Amino acid sequence: MLLFVGLGNPGQKYENNRHNIGFMAVDDIVHRHNFSPWRSRFQGKTSDGRIGTEKVLILKPETYMNESGRAVGEAIRFFKINPEDVFVFYDELDLAPGKLRIKKAGGSGGHNGIKSIDAHIGKEYWRLRMGIGHPGHKERVTGHVLGDFSKTDQDWLSKEIDAISRHIDLLVKGDSPGFMSKVAQDITPPKSKKIPAQKASSASTTRDQNTLKTAKPETSKADSDIKNSNDGWQSTLANWFSNSKTPQD
């Protein structure tokens, strides 16, 4: 069994906060993959189901962010889940909005939810860091993190949440590079070819070909003069022979 943990704060007040992007990610997985209804357990809410052939338990701690580790610790002890089978989805200030990074173990980066989980289960679990961007000044961090996503955020945010749940099977299979690549492609699709420019080039080529087919060779004035001159010389010579008299005449 795998354990997916979405981090956030419980309650309607925090529902659309940037700090709750982890909740948003696991909510969409539950919805897309038809997991069981949420129920209260392990100091949080859980839902379970299958992705491919793998059974997955999803947990949203309700201990508030700073005590997230308590709920995660209870869940893994109950199901005897190894830390390396735990995947935590959470917000990351040091990544640009819409960027996703995955790593196993490492530091907390100052994230209080991750600090708490480290304290309860160790560091050997997977971290899915979802970028929310940095406000630029340290004193503005709290307001930024606990502020709601803006209207301008909705485009990349909806694409990222959808892409994560759409391609989550790759992560379950152990293909984290493939998973990150697919998510990135869905958020920022490859640029399409410049068809108008190709059409213009094609039209230009066609015009050139048609011009070559229909154009008549131009005769220069010099060529014309030479031709007329040659005709005059031949005519003069013919007249001379016809009018000349031999000595016998």
Side-chain angles (χ1 to χ4, degrees):
M1 175 187 284
L2 301 179
L3 174 63
F4 287 176
V5 181
L7 296 188
N9 288 311
Q12 190 173 2
K13 176 183 176 181
Y14 304 102
E15 188 175 353
N16 296 312
N17 283 184
R18 293 180 179 87
H19 218 22
N20 276 37
I21 196 171
F23 275 9
M24 298 174 192
V26 297
D27 279 341
D28 207 63
I29 294 171
V30 167
H31 175 72
R32 181 184 293 274
H33 296 277
N34 299 311
F35 276 35
S36 67
W38 293 101
R39 63 169 174 156
S40 296
R41 61 199 304 209
F42 309 128
Q43 301 183 64
K45 288 185 176 179
T46 66
S47 176
D48 59 83
R50 288 188 178 275
I51 298 175
T53 59
E54 190 72 47
K55 187 171 182 180
V56 178
L57 175 70
I58 290 182
L59 169 66
K60 294 196 299 182
E62 293 198 302
T63 53
Y64 288 94
M65 185 67 78
N66 294 1
E67 296 293 339
S68 298
R70 284 167 35 201
V72 178
E74 281 193 27
I76 70 166
R77 286 191 295 272
F78 182 87
F79 287 107
K80 296 180 173 60
I81 300 172
N82 295 320
E84 55 265 29
D85 291 326
V86 176
F87 297 79
V88 180
F89 298 74
Y90 64 98
D91 57 297
E92 175 58 75
L93 278 167
D94 293 330
L95 284 177
K99 296 294 183 182
L100 174 72
R101 294 291 182 270
I102 301 175
K103 67 175 181 178
K104 184 180 178 183
S108 68
H111 194 286
N112 290 331
I114 297 301
K115 286 181 181 179
S116 178
I117 295 174
D118 287 352
H120 283 81
I121 72 170
K123 297 184 177 183
E124 298 302 311
Y125 59 91
W126 292 90
R127 300 134 195 265
L128 284 86
R129 301 155 58 213
M130 304 173 68
I132 60 169
H134 197 286
H137 298 281
K138 186 176 181 180
E139 59 271 17
R140 295 173 57 193
V141 166
T142 300
H144 179 72
V145 168
L146 295 179
D148 288 354
F149 282 107
S150 66
K151 289 183 179 179
T152 57
D153 290 323
Q154 296 308 312
D155 182 51
W156 68 261
L157 178 63
S158 61
K159 287 179 181 178
E160 182 177 33
I161 296 299
D162 180 78
I164 286 172
S165 62
R166 183 186 301 276
H167 302 298
I168 198 67
D169 60 307
L170 293 173
L171 187 64
V172 169
K173 292 174 184 176
D175 184 8
S176 55
F179 171 71
M180 283 193 295
S181 176
K182 287 290 187 181
V183 171
Q185 287 175 17
D186 283 8
I187 298 172
T188 309
K191 293 182 179 179
S192 59
K193 295 180 180 179
K194 296 181 179 179
I195 296 175
Q198 289 181 334
K199 285 184 177 180
S201 176
S202 176
S204 176
T205 302
T206 303
R207 279 199 307 273
D208 292 342
Q209 290 174 344
N210 290 338
T211 301
L212 289 173
K213 289 179 181 179
T214 58
K216 295 180 180 180
E218 294 183 0
T219 303
S220 68
K221 185 176 185 302
D223 291 339
S224 177
D225 291 341
I226 292 170
K227 183 178 185 301
N228 292 337
S229 176
N230 288 341
D231 288 346
W233 176 81
Q234 290 172 346
S235 176
T236 301
L237 185 62
N239 289 335
W240 185 84
F241 275 116
S242 63
N243 295 328
S244 65
K245 296 181 180 181
T246 64
Q248 286 79 7
D249 292 339

